[in-house]
Amino acid sequence: MPNWRTVDETDLAATLSQGEVDAFRADGPTDGSDPVARLLQSTVDAVRGYISCNGAVRMGPSGTIPRGLVIPAMDYAMGKVLNRIGVPLTEDRRKALEAATALFEKISQGAITPESYTEDGTVDEDKRPATSPMADDGARPILGGGIW
């Protein structure tokens, strides 16, 4: 299984309540397009933009992001949804949004390197992923599920 994947409404619903997702959809454009699908696409595009600035990552297929960045990506999208529907951020949600934004900024600056794409989901040993800047001993922890 590849280590990069697409995101869907189920991922967003893991961060937001279904009521919040439905309110966002109801407040959407009148052209018949699905605002949730558009939000997910723009979020993936933004995350891929941050990653591409890094320069040390083999990018996955269009429309995919590393599995380890799905939750931070949904935290990033959560901020857009709640702002649009006029729901104030709780302290926990504010911290999650700030952490996601900081993570993506560090990725773009090369301070953190997410996992490069591989077809079989194995770690690319030439481009080991990280979840934080190098430790004093030079170790770089692996980015994976459960970090966020």
Side-chain angles (χ1 to χ4, degrees):
M1 173 182 340
N3 56 350
W4 283 45
R5 71 175 186 86
T6 58
V7 297
D8 59 31
E9 188 172 333
T10 304
D11 297 309
L12 188 60
T15 300
L16 293 164
S17 72
Q18 190 60 51
E20 290 166 333
V21 174
D22 292 343
F24 181 75
R25 181 171 278 123
D27 191 40
T30 58
D31 66 1
S33 63
D34 181 3
V36 173
R38 288 173 56 179
L39 171 69
L40 293 173
Q41 182 60 55
S42 67
T43 299
V44 166
D45 291 345
V47 171
R48 288 178 63 88
Y50 283 114
I51 294 169
S52 69
C53 290
N54 182 288
V57 179
R58 184 181 318 109
M59 299 294 287
S62 179
T64 65
I65 59 175
R67 289 182 178 282
L69 294 180
V70 170
I71 292 172
M74 294 304 99
D75 288 342
Y76 186 81
M78 170 265 305
K80 305 283 186 202
V81 169
L82 296 181
N83 183 56
R84 174 97 171 261
I85 64 173
V87 174
L89 293 174
T90 64
E91 184 67 14
D92 287 344
R93 284 178 161 179
R94 183 188 61 74
K95 286 179 181 179
L97 175 59
E98 288 173 356
T101 303
L103 173 67
F104 297 139
E105 288 172 359
K106 287 178 182 177
I107 287 170
S108 73
Q109 297 162 358
I112 297 174
T113 301
E115 58 194 313
S116 284
Y117 175 77
T118 59
E119 274 292 324
D120 61 3
T122 60
V123 174
D124 181 344
E125 292 301 324
D126 292 334
K127 299 185 184 314
R128 285 189 58 91
T131 55
S132 62
M134 286 187 145
D136 292 337
D137 64 1
R140 297 184 79 172
I142 296 204
L143 179 68
I147 299 297
W148 287 86

